[in-house]
Structure formats: structure tokens, C-alpha cells
Amino acid sequence: MVKLYCMSILYKGQTNATCLKAAYDLQGFSFFQRGSVQEFMAFVSKTITERTISASRQSVKEGEYMCHVYVRRDNLAGVVISDHEYPSRVSHTLITKVLDEFSQVVPASSWPEITERDVSFSQLNVYLAKYQNPQEADAMTKIQSDLDETKIILHNTIEAVLERGERLDDLVAKSEGLSIQSKAFYKTARKTNSCCTFG
Amino acid sequence: MPARRRRTGSETEPFIVIGDRNSNWSQQESDKQSSFPNNVTQSYYIEEDDYTDNYVEPEPIMTARDRTNEFATTIRSLQGRNIARAVATNDPRKAKVIQSHSEFMLIARNVGKNIASTYAKLEKLTLLAKRKSLFDDRSAEIQELTYIIKGDLNSLNQQIAQLQDVSKRQKQNGKHLQSHSCSVVLALQSKLASMSTDFKQILEVRTENLKQQKNRREQFSQGTVNTSLPPSAVSGYHQGSVLLQEQDQVSINLENSALIPKHNQMQTMLMYDETDNYLRDRAETMQNIESTIVELGGIFQQLAHMVKEQEEMVERIDTNVQDAEMNIEAAHTQILKYFQSVTSNRWLMIKIFGVLIMFFIIFVVFLA
């Protein structure tokens, strides 16, 4: 089951990383575990951002989760924690998109200073919810699946055309028979008419 | 015919061989040779059997052969190898000399055999390393072989050093024996040196090949990203070649069009940097999408072709039906004419019937 658990934006400072905004989807965990799981994920995001070199991407396997992290050159970092089956390409695309939007919404100069409370970036939750289904959310996978559907439809169409060809064959044969018989009919009628005046 | 024997200096008892006469294995003694210089060079040759003493010809082929006699004689010869001869010469000094020399020869034979096997492995490695195919890369095998050969070379080195020690210790031998042992050691060392140089060459060749393969792979994987873009993406094509150079980060527009190539930062090769993987994944996906679209185009074309073919049949049906209609119309008019003629003929019929009735009345009146 492809699932996203957490998405967070951090700023990688000189010594440590500060979390600017985070969104969690912990519906799969029991109510009492949620708090500790959230803390664990926040800690993992921070640690992994600190360990990643600037301007690089990484995908790390952590127990039964996969952490995808992307640190930009201006030290803005995004972390996505998902399960193993979530395609890593999609998660990196998601991170890049979110980081771009974030850098547009929140000016770059304020990143080293602000805390999590000051940042208002609700699109993070929206994205998290949307990307739970990577097939629909990511443009490339969507196109791929659309194309596959279209291919199937086209295959069906070609089969239908073949059937149509067969039926047309049938019709040709029948119409030929009809034409021959009508000709015979005409000949008979003419013969009846022309052979004797009456009788 | 004398059976062919192979030297197996480490074995001490013959196997029970089933069936084949030519696969006999038994202990052969090099000391039984009369001339010493042949020992080393013959140690890994398959040779004719020259022995006359202490050797029993195997029995004719049976399913299970009884070779206890051979076994006993071999044991005896092994035991007596060092001692019996020494005893036979009746001279304690000479006996010691012979004993030590036979030790030396034993070790030399071992070394020679190991050199031969290592050489065979080296040849196998050469064959593997020279392969230039891009995909059938047996790097695991090659690495294993390399490791084994390195271990072998080391152990051979040690053995030859040991041999040298042994030969130095045998100071009490005669001059000729000493010089012989020196030359034996020298020959083994030179063989080992040549093998190590070969090994080094092979490793260099292998690294060269690896580099070339990497270059070719990079060429192909980057080339396909650049050259397989359809002409509809020409607007972004010049950006595609820029991808090869270092580029600053540009934002990604996913909503505009799927076929505009994406810019991403080109990274230097850092060990834990997976941008390459990410980019390669995206390139792969784009390639897949592109090939699917091309396939779809082909399918559409096939569809159009088939429909065009069927158009001809439709026209035939059309002509046939038109012919049938024409014929039926004509027949209809014919019948109408006939009907007309039939209806208009009635007066004639009445006249004819009138005449008939007249004749009938005349006949009746005539008869009555």
C-alpha cells in the first residue's frame, strides 16, 4: 500500500536544521502511538537533513519507512517519509514542487530565523492528502496511466473493426446473392411477357 | 600399453577406480628417476610410465578392482623412500644428504604444481576480463578470481621463500646438488614473477574496460534522453543539450506540458547523492511515456488502414444492392406490362369464347 506518513520543510543551518513546517498523516497508527510517532518522524527528518549535503537528494531506508530528502542549494530542505512501495521519483517531485511553492510564499530571508509557529503554509496538508494516491497526483504517472488506458481502448477498437470487417464480408455475399436473384427474376418476367400474346 | 600417470605428490593412497583403465591415480616417486634435473620440470607434465620397480600393472577392467597389492607396495615405497635408499647406500652422511634433498624436491614439486594451477586461473581471469560486452558483466566472478589468485600468489611467494631456506640449510650437500637447488629455486621464482606481471597487466586491462564500459553507458543513457525527444518538443530541444553542462537550478513546470524537458541541478559525483538516480528515473519515465505515445500513434494508423480497406467492401455492397434494385424495378415493369396485356386482352378472349360457344351450340343443335 502506497502511503505517505509525513512531509516537512526544514531549513538547514550551519550547525543544525530547524523545522519550518510539517504535516502528518497518522491515521494508520493507534491513537496512543501517534504522539511518539510524530516526534520520531520529526527527529528523523531533522537528523537526516543535517546529514545530507547541500544541493543533493537522498532516499534512506529506515526500518519499515523510506525517507526521501532533498536539500536545495539555498539550504531549504524537504523531507517526505513514506512506506517502501511509494515510488521515490514521485516523492522527490513532490518535495521539489512543495519547496518551490514555499519559497514563493515565504521570503527566503526569513528562513534562518522564523519558527514553526510563524509559518502559515496550509498547502502542505493539501499536498500530503493529494499525494496519498501517487497515480493521480503526479503528472507523469497520470499521463502514463492515461496512455495505458487509451492503449487498451484502442486495442478494443481494433478488435471491433475486425468484427466489422467480418460483418461487411457477410453483407457483401448476401447483397451479391440478392442481385443475382433479382436479375433472374427480371429475366423470367421478361420471358413470360414476350413469349406469347396470351395463354 | 603403459598407462599415463599424472603427478599427485600429495596423495598417499590410490583410489579404487571403477572401470576406466586410463584414469588410474597412484603415487609416483620422483626420486625413482635416475636424473635429478628432470624432477622439477616434470612435476606437472603428464608422462609415460617408466618405472620398473615397486610398481604393479593394474588388473584388467572389472567393476571393482582389487588393488591392495598396489596399495601395499605404495605404502612400502613411501616408507622406504627416504630410508631405504639411505640404508642401501650404507653411508650415514650420504643418507642424510639424500633425505634432505628429497625433501627439497618434494617442496619444489608442490610449488610447481601450485604455479600451474594458478596459471590456469590467471588464464581464465584473462578471458573474463577481456570481454567487452556492455551487459554480460561477470564482475562478481572476476573479483572472486582476482581474490583467489592474489591469495595463491602470496602463498606461492611464501613457499618459494621456504624452499630457499631449505636449500640454504643444506650446506653439507655437494656443490652440484647445491647449484642445482639454487637453479631450481631461481626457475620457480622467475615463473612466479612472470605470473605476477601478467596478473598486474590483466588488472590494468580490467580497469580500462570498466572505464570504457562506464563511458559507453553514460553515453547511451544521456544520449537517449537527448535524441529521443519527438519533434513536437523542439521548442525545448536546445535546452536539452544544455542539460549536459553545469546548470543552475530552474523551477520545474509540471503543469505546462509533459514533453518539455525538465532542468535539474547537475550534481558532481558525491557518494550519497541520489540526484542521479532521481534524474535517471525521470528520464526513464519520460522515455516510457514517449514510447507509449509512439505506439499509440502506430495503432491509430493501423486502425485507419483497416477502415480504409473495409471501405472497398462497403462500396461493393453498395453496387450490389443498387444492381438488385435496378433488376427488381425492371422486372416489376415487365410484370406490369404483362398484367396490362392480360387485362387488355379480355375483349379478344370474349370474342374467342363467343365463337367457341357458337360452335358448341351448333354441335348441340345438330346432334339434337
Side-chain angles (χ1 to χ4, degrees):
Chain A
M1 262 304 294
V2 285
K3 207 163 147 44
L4 286 184
Y5 294 113
C6 152
M7 187 156 70
S8 46
I9 302 181
L10 301 97
Y11 178 70
K12 183 178 154 86
Q14 298 295 347
T15 46
N16 63 344
T18 47
C19 178
L20 297 180
K21 191 87 179 111
Y24 302 92
D25 180 8
L26 305 172
Q27 298 304 320
F29 303 103
S30 77
F31 182 72
F32 300 102
Q33 285 179 344
R34 277 181 207 168
S36 51
V37 165
Q38 187 164 328
E39 278 179 29
F40 158 72
M41 289 189 176
F43 174 68
V44 160
S45 319
K46 207 155 97 81
T47 323
I48 206 173
T49 322
E50 284 165 13
R51 298 229 180 114
T52 313
I53 319 168
S54 170
S56 71
R57 299 170 186 273
Q58 261 197 55
S59 296
V60 178
K61 199 155 96 137
E62 169 82 41
E64 51 178 60
Y65 309 109
M66 275 291 280
C67 303
H68 308 276
V69 59
Y70 172 45
V71 179
R72 289 211 310 208
R73 192 166 272 182
D74 50 3
N75 285 333
L76 187 66
V79 176
V80 159
I81 303 186
S82 62
D83 62 355
H84 284 279
E85 292 162 0
Y86 200 84
S88 81
R89 185 182 53 74
V90 176
S91 53
H92 280 290
T93 316
L94 165 65
I95 296 179
T96 323
K97 202 153 82 137
V98 161
L99 287 182
D100 287 336
E101 264 202 53
F102 185 80
S103 57
Q104 281 172 357
V105 167
V106 176
S109 52
S110 59
W111 289 341
E113 289 98 34
I114 55 176
T115 61
E116 194 165 345
R117 257 169 276 279
D118 306 334
V119 176
S120 64
F121 187 62
S122 55
Q123 288 100 311
L124 207 61
N125 295 52
V126 170
Y127 275 125
L128 189 64
K130 192 160 89 134
Y131 271 78
Q132 288 293 352
N133 178 11
Q135 303 297 98
E136 286 306 312
D138 183 32
M140 283 203 266
T141 28
K142 191 146 77 98
I143 289 173
Q144 184 75 30
S145 52
D146 278 346
L147 284 175
D148 287 334
E149 264 182 56
T150 315
K151 210 155 61 146
I152 293 179
I153 292 179
L154 273 180
H155 282 144
N156 291 342
T157 312
I158 290 201
E159 276 180 39
V161 167
L162 285 172
E163 253 180 81
R164 175 177 179 257
E166 278 176 37
R167 288 212 204 100
L168 282 176
D169 267 338
D170 262 349
L171 276 178
V172 166
K174 288 206 180 121
S175 65
E176 264 188 62
L178 186 65
S179 152
I180 291 172
Q181 279 182 341
S182 69
K183 209 159 178 190
F185 173 46
Y186 165 67
K187 285 199 184 123
T188 327
R190 202 173 47 170
K191 223 173 5 161
T192 328
N193 211 10
S194 66
C195 104
C196 42
T197 48
F198 79 97
Chain B
M1 80 174 185
R4 297 189 175 270
R5 295 286 127 82
R6 210 180 297 181
R7 300 267 190 169
T8 59
S10 52
E11 286 178 15
T12 54
E13 46 183 328
F15 300 144
I16 297 212
V17 178
I18 299 187
D20 188 8
R21 171 186 272 257
N22 279 338
S23 64
N24 282 341
W25 293 79
S26 68
Q27 181 73 7
Q28 304 299 330
E29 311 310 322
S30 62
D31 305 88
K32 291 184 188 150
Q33 295 286 331
S34 50
S35 54
F36 279 144
N38 286 336
N39 279 353
V40 173
T41 52
Q42 279 180 343
S43 63
Y44 43 85
Y45 290 168
I46 300 178
E47 60 178 1
E48 296 281 340
D49 183 19
D50 285 337
Y51 306 142
T52 50
D53 52 9
N54 281 357
Y55 168 67
V56 175
E57 193 70 28
E59 297 169 355
I61 297 174
M62 304 188 305
T63 43
R65 268 188 287 166
D66 180 22
R67 295 173 70 170
T68 38
N69 290 341
E70 258 189 62
F71 182 68
T73 48
T74 318
I75 295 278
R76 247 182 288 134
S77 61
L78 255 189
Q79 280 175 347
R81 186 163 47 114
N82 289 334
I83 303 175
R85 263 177 148 226
V87 164
T89 57
N90 243 346
D91 184 356
R93 212 172 12 120
K94 246 190 174 179
K96 235 193 308 176
V97 159
I98 293 178
Q99 207 168 345
S100 51
H101 198 71
S102 55
E103 262 179 50
F104 174 78
M105 280 306 147
L106 200 60
I107 303 179
R109 186 176 56 208
N110 266 337
V111 170
K113 221 176 343 132
N114 288 342
I115 288 186
S117 67
T118 317
Y119 205 73
K121 286 183 212 151
L122 191 65
E123 282 183 5
K124 242 199 309 182
L125 181 65
T126 320
L127 273 175
L128 276 180
K130 283 220 168 98
R131 294 164 66 98
K132 290 222 167 169
S133 78
L134 200 56
F135 302 108
D136 188 12
D137 196 16
R138 309 213 221 141
S139 48
E141 264 186 58
I142 293 182
Q143 271 180 6
E144 220 183 279
L145 258 180
T146 322
Y147 181 69
I148 292 177
I149 291 181
K150 246 191 241 173
D152 279 347
L153 284 177
N154 280 339
S155 73
L156 277 171
N157 239 345
Q158 285 173 3
Q159 282 176 16
I160 292 190
Q162 208 185 15
L163 201 62
Q164 224 171 6
D165 285 336
V166 167
S167 86
K168 282 211 185 76
R169 260 186 280 128
Q170 296 169 351
K171 282 291 164 49
Q172 63 274 36
N173 292 352
K175 219 173 10 158
H176 294 289
L177 281 182
Q178 255 187 321
S179 67
H180 169 68
S181 18
C182 280
S183 51
V184 160
V185 169
L186 258 172
L188 289 176
Q189 273 176 342
S190 60
K191 276 210 179 66
L192 184 67
S194 66
M195 245 197 341
S196 348
T197 41
D198 280 341
F199 185 52
K200 230 189 319 183
Q201 268 178 11
I202 280 301
L203 285 182
E204 283 172 14
V205 165
R206 162 100 180 122
T207 40
E208 266 300 314
N209 272 352
L210 272 181
K211 256 193 275 183
Q212 274 180 15
Q213 272 185 16
K214 202 157 85 80
N215 278 344
R216 277 163 75 187
R217 272 215 192 97
E218 274 179 26
Q219 247 183 25
F220 286 146
S221 65
Q222 276 190 353
T224 47
V225 170
N226 278 334
T227 59
S228 69
L229 290 174
S232 59
V234 155
S235 61
Y237 183 61
H238 71 283
Q239 294 165 340
S241 60
V242 168
L243 199 65
L244 284 175
Q245 308 162 11
E246 298 283 332
Q247 187 78 342
D248 288 335
Q249 187 182 17
V250 175
S251 63
I252 299 173
N253 289 326
L254 281 177
E255 281 77 45
N256 288 348
S257 151
L259 290 177
I260 295 178
K262 313 282 184 262
H263 294 279
N264 278 322
Q265 263 180 327
M266 287 293 291
Q267 305 291 334
T268 55
M269 289 296 285
L270 304 170
M271 236 191 1
Y272 294 101
D273 175 23
E274 295 189 3
T275 314
D276 268 359
N277 283 349
Y278 173 57
L279 292 176
R280 205 178 313 143
D281 274 342
R282 285 173 77 95
E284 234 181 78
T285 318
M286 292 311 270
Q287 263 176 288
N288 278 344
I289 289 180
E290 195 212 333
S291 63
T292 319
I293 291 182
V294 166
E295 241 181 272
L296 278 179
I299 293 179
F300 270 117
Q301 199 153 357
Q302 268 185 9
L303 193 65
H305 188 64
M306 281 162 67
V307 171
K308 179 84 174 118
E309 276 177 1
Q310 290 173 352
E311 183 190 339
E312 177 212 335
M313 281 201 272
V314 169
E315 282 188 8
R316 268 164 63 192
I317 296 176
D318 208 18
T319 14
N320 284 339
V321 168
Q322 272 178 354
D323 281 346
E325 194 202 344
M326 204 172 60
N327 285 332
I328 292 176
E329 279 292 316
H332 182 59
T333 44
Q334 291 288 321
I335 294 184
L336 270 179
K337 263 197 278 182
Y338 184 61
F339 180 62
Q340 290 276 334
S341 68
V342 161
T343 45
S344 58
N345 256 354
R346 203 169 291 162
W347 288 111
L348 287 172
M349 247 201 295
I350 288 175
K351 281 182 211 157
I352 293 170
F353 267 121
V355 170
L356 270 174
I357 290 171
M358 293 298 293
F359 264 112
F360 187 61
I361 291 173
I362 288 170
F363 265 118
V364 165
V365 165
F366 200 53
L367 277 174

